């Protein structure tokens, strides 16, 4: 359980902190992305700005991280199942956020990559450990950079 708690603590720090830390998400593989990432619908209205995409994604991340921390406080299969369910909900929320932005924006592209990594983790036997990988780190850094350009400090 300790590695999972450590990974979750790391996820919490990266989702809520302002300093650089190992991020919780990363670049997807093409096969995993097309099969597992919720499809992004074309916005029916004008897309929101990258700033709004970044702010909403950070809010979702913070809220879900808090819920995952509570779920991780329990031991065993119940904790793993709750974490998987929360990560699945997070991917849905982040997909909606990405869909609200311009499909060709840097922030939306980076958020889609972050979300693909969370999708992979949500289906892994140990979702928290699965999020600790170089692809997740790269996707998080890319999203952080895109949001910084939009004037928003996030930490994924």
């Amino acid at each position: 359980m300790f590695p999972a708690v450590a990974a979750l603590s790391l996820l919490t720090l990266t989702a809520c902190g302002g300093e650089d830390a190992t991020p919780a998400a990363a670049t997807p593989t093409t096969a995993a992305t097309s099969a597992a990432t919720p499809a992004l619908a074309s916005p029916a209205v004008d897309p929101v700005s990258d700033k709004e995409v970044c702010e909403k994604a950070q809010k979702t991340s913070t809220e879900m991280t808090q819920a995952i921390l509570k779920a991780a406080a329990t031991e065993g299969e119940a904790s793993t199942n709750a974490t998987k369910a929360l990560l699945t909900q997070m991917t849905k929320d982040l997909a909606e956020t990405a869909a609200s932005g311009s499909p060709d924006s840097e922030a939306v592209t980076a958020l889609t990559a972050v979300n693909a990594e969370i999708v992979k983790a949500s289906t892994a036997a140990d979702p928290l450990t699965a999020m600790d990988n170089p692809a997740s780190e790269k996707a998080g850094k890319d999203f952080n950079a895109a949001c910084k350009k939009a004037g928003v400090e996030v930490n994924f």
Side-chain angles (χ1 to χ4, degrees), residues 2 4 9 30 46 64 75 90 103 113 140 142 148:
F2 180 73
S9 295
T30 305
D46 289 336
M64 290 308 233
E75 293 286 330
M90 185 176 184
D142 290 349
K148 189 171 187 173

Side-chain angles (χ1 to χ4, degrees), residues 5-155:
V5 172
L8 185 54
S9 295
L10 184 58
L11 173 65
T12 302
L13 290 173
T14 59
C16 299
E19 63 282 340
D20 288 331
T22 305
T27 306
T29 60
T30 305
T33 302
S34 61
T37 302
L40 300 180
S42 297
V45 296
D46 289 336
V48 300
S49 68
D50 279 0
K51 179 179 180 180
E52 291 171 289
V53 168
C54 294
E55 290 171 342
K56 187 170 182 184
Q58 183 64 50
K59 181 178 184 231
T60 297
S61 176
T62 300
E63 290 171 355
M64 290 308 233
T65 298
Q66 291 171 354
I68 290 168
L69 282 172
K70 288 178 185 174
T74 60
E75 293 286 330
E77 190 174 332
S79 174
T80 300
N81 290 340
T83 299
K84 287 180 178 187
L86 289 165
L87 288 173
T88 298
Q89 182 60 50
M90 185 176 184
T91 64
K92 291 176 185 175
D93 294 348
L94 292 177
E96 287 177 16
T97 298
S100 70
S102 176
D104 59 349
S105 85
E106 186 177 350
V108 168
T109 301
L111 181 57
T112 302
V114 165
N115 204 30
E117 288 301 315
I118 298 170
V119 167
K120 288 184 217 174
S122 72
T123 61
D126 183 352
L128 298 178
T129 301
M131 291 185 70
D132 185 19
N133 68 69
S136 291
E137 184 175 344
K138 181 184 181 317
K141 284 182 179 179
D142 290 349
F143 186 61
N144 294 345
C147 289
K148 189 171 187 173
K149 287 180 185 176
V152 179
E153 288 291 326
V154 299
N155 201 351

